[in-house]
Amino acid sequence: MTHAIDVRDLHKHFGNNEVLKGIDFTVEPGQVVCVIGPSGSGKSTLLRCVNLLETPTRGRVFVEGVEITDPDVDIDAVRRRIGMVFQQFNLFPHMSALQNVMIAQQRVLKRGRKEAEVVARENLEKVGVGAKCDARPAQLSGGQQQRVAIARALAMNPDLMLFDEPTSALDPELVGDVLTVMRKLAEEGMTMLVVTHEMGFARDVADRVVFMDGGVIVEDGPPSQVIGDPQHERTRAFLRRVLHPEG
């Protein structure tokens, strides 16, 4: 079976700063993989290399068997299979929620207005903001805006979804609604690579947890091992700080 994501010996430098130092890992179709680790460990850079928002310095990345690091690849065609949800919602402020979910469908997938609207309404309903179709981003809470952003990604019918700390910009009481949507996607079998600091989500929803520190993968395994019984002192120290910040 072809891996959904296959990363081989991935290196990324920003000037003299080596952010990724030879990453190897795979994600299988239907798997939910959560990447955890301290700030500056390379998590978001790894995610951005998976759809070539950042160009790797060295190494190869395959998405569904297609090498996206091949200079001749049709990256737009590959990106159509990948939904991406960022920390910031990146919604067009002058458009309604419905229009925000329709526009990429019309421009990229060349869907007609009626079809794009039907798909947009379905996905806004799916993420629990169907009643907010006509609202502009400024009229929505952060959690609602993030759910519109998820609906926008889903409307493109991606094969896999990348989430880059999707709850980190949200007020604590709004985090749960976004995580509920993500849990539902996982239950439906969506392939997901999630950079997150939400340990409860990683523990309950992920098939695998990857702990990164200093640009390398320190541990990779089921949540029961990586979060429940970590083998490395670096992992244990990180989890102590995150799970027991007052300790």
Side-chain angles (χ1 to χ4, degrees), residues 127-184:
V127 301
V129 287
K132 300 291 185 180
C133 281
D134 297 327
R136 291 190 176 186
Q139 299 167 302
L140 301 173
S141 71
Q144 289 168 335
Q145 289 185 62
Q146 189 60 292
R147 283 183 281 159
V148 172
I150 293 172
R152 176 181 58 191
L154 291 175
M156 305 296 283
N157 299 117
D159 296 341
L160 58 133
M161 292 278 285
L162 308 178
F163 292 87
D164 187 5
E165 304 242 18
T167 59
S168 66
L170 302 180
D171 293 332
E173 69 272 17
L174 303 176
V175 167
D177 292 338
V178 173
L179 293 181
T180 297
V181 169
M182 293 171 65
R183 285 171 196 266
K184 194 164 127 192

Side-chain angles (χ1 to χ4, degrees), residues 55-89:
T55 305
T57 306
R58 194 168 91 233
R60 304 170 80 191
V61 179
F62 296 81
V63 173
E64 297 182 321
V66 176
E67 185 183 351
I68 66 167
T69 40
D70 180 337
D72 297 326
V73 73
D74 181 349
I75 189 59
D76 291 333
V78 178
R79 281 199 185 120
R80 279 181 212 130
R81 306 183 206 167
I82 305 172
M84 181 99 187
V85 179
F86 300 89
Q87 292 179 32
Q88 305 302 331
F89 324 121

